Amino acid sequence: MPSHGRLEIGGWHQLWSRALDLLYPPLCAVCREPLTDGRALCDPCDADLPRLAAPFCESCGESFQGAIEDRFSCPNCHNLPLSFNFARPATMRDERTLDMIHRLKYGRKLHLARDLGRLAAGAFADERLAPALTGNWPLVPVPLHRGRFQHRHFNQAEEIANALARHVGLPVVRALGRVRATEHQTALSRAQRMENLRGAFTLTRAGRHHLDRDSAGAILVDDVLTTGSTVNECAKTLRRAGFREICVVTVMRG
């Protein structure tokens, strides 16, 4: 019965997408060619976005050129104490992908979350995420502070996580809250970012409820991984609460 319900919901979603296509014909977010079925990327543009491929840092997903056969950590991560097991971006830095993320975050183009979540699902080809799939670990979106949420009216990480969940079959749990507003991180060094974020997150009631049932692990979800300071502070909060394994999945490596 539950699978039949999901099919009904999926069928209605597809019909609704087609109806919207008739009223507002969508265009590819990259090349502006017409699309159908609520998509934001045409097949050629989708295929042209650079997916993360080996060799890359096993800790943060930083891509490297050259022939490296063994797993390695980049100089930025080497001997750095991280609260998450590893971060796995799905795509390498690309201005087209970044533009989609910015249009979602700042232009409120919520329909782009659907394809950004689908792109993020590519990270699950990494065998290190297999335990998360078999163990039904929750997808935990990096939270926004209440003030920023009231201004934006949505959390882009949660929108991406919801779309990602439809591809990988994992639940979305808003296990973290942001209890302290922080400065924008863009102009800060890594050390300044870490200090800026100290004590900014807390476990929510939903997080405690999930932890009571299963503490095996969680997957933090965000749009871009830059220095990893934000997800590291989130992972620290989850680990202190009792989650044993923490992985990070993002759409893009910044």
Side-chain angles (χ1 to χ4, degrees):
M1 289 298 291
S3 61
H4 178 67
R6 286 196 294 270
L7 285 173
E8 285 185 344
I9 293 171
W12 278 112
H13 181 79
Q14 189 173 34
L15 288 173
W16 179 244
S17 293
R18 289 176 179 173
L20 287 177
D21 289 346
L22 293 174
L23 292 172
Y24 309 104
L27 302 176
C28 174
V30 175
C31 71
R32 313 304 294 167
E33 285 294 314
L35 295 174
T36 58
D37 293 333
R39 298 177 59 196
L41 280 172
C42 68
D43 289 338
C45 288
D46 186 343
D48 199 43
L49 295 178
R51 270 60 168 185
L52 182 65
F56 55 82
C57 172
E58 67 175 355
S59 298
C60 73
E62 179 70 26
S63 177
F64 279 81
Q65 300 297 321
I68 304 176
E69 295 183 0
D70 296 329
R71 289 184 173 181
F72 71 98
S73 289
C74 69
N76 289 329
C77 293
H78 188 62
N79 292 329
L80 185 69
L82 296 173
S83 295
F84 54 85
N85 297 42
F86 62 88
R88 182 52 162 89
T91 68
M92 295 187 289
R93 180 180 174 87
D94 186 270
E95 292 304 315
R96 296 165 295 181
T97 310
L98 186 60
D99 179 64
M100 290 176 64
I101 291 170
H102 282 174
R103 287 166 63 192
L104 167 63
K105 289 173 68 171
Y106 308 120
R108 300 185 180 182
K109 305 296 185 183
L110 295 182
H111 68 283
L112 295 176
R114 180 178 176 183
D115 279 80
L116 290 171
R118 181 181 53 76
L119 287 172
F124 284 81
D126 193 316
E127 62 182 12
R128 295 176 297 169
L129 285 167
L133 292 172
T134 57
N136 202 41
W137 294 4
L139 302 174
V140 179
V142 171
L144 289 179
H145 185 262
R146 180 176 56 191
R148 192 164 295 172
F149 184 87
Q150 288 174 344
H151 171 74
R152 194 175 291 172
H153 301 297
F154 69 95
N155 175 4
Q156 74 280 353
E158 186 173 342
E159 297 296 325
I160 291 169
N162 287 334
L164 171 61
R166 291 193 286 270
H167 290 277
V168 298
L170 297 178
V172 177
V173 177
R174 289 185 287 183
L176 289 172
R178 197 161 189 151
V179 294
R180 184 169 61 79
T182 55
E183 298 177 38
H184 285 286
Q185 300 273 86
T186 309
L188 303 181
S189 68
R190 187 171 197 164
Q192 290 172 327
R193 290 182 184 217
M194 294 178 74
E195 182 61 31
N196 185 43
L197 289 161
R198 194 182 303 276
F201 303 100
T202 188
L203 196 71
T204 63
R205 182 182 298 178
R208 290 192 295 271
H209 179 68
H210 183 90
L211 196 57
D212 288 341
R213 293 183 287 108
D214 188 359
S215 62
I219 301 173
L220 284 163
V221 179
D222 207 359
D223 49 8
V224 180
L225 182 82
T226 308
T227 65
S229 304
T230 300
V231 291
N232 194 60
E233 189 65 26
C234 287
K236 189 182 298 184
T237 303
L238 291 175
R239 201 174 286 279
R240 284 175 177 169
F243 284 96
R244 297 194 298 274
E245 307 292 334
I246 313 292
C247 303
V248 179
V249 167
T250 65
V251 178
M252 194 184 80
R253 182 65 169 88

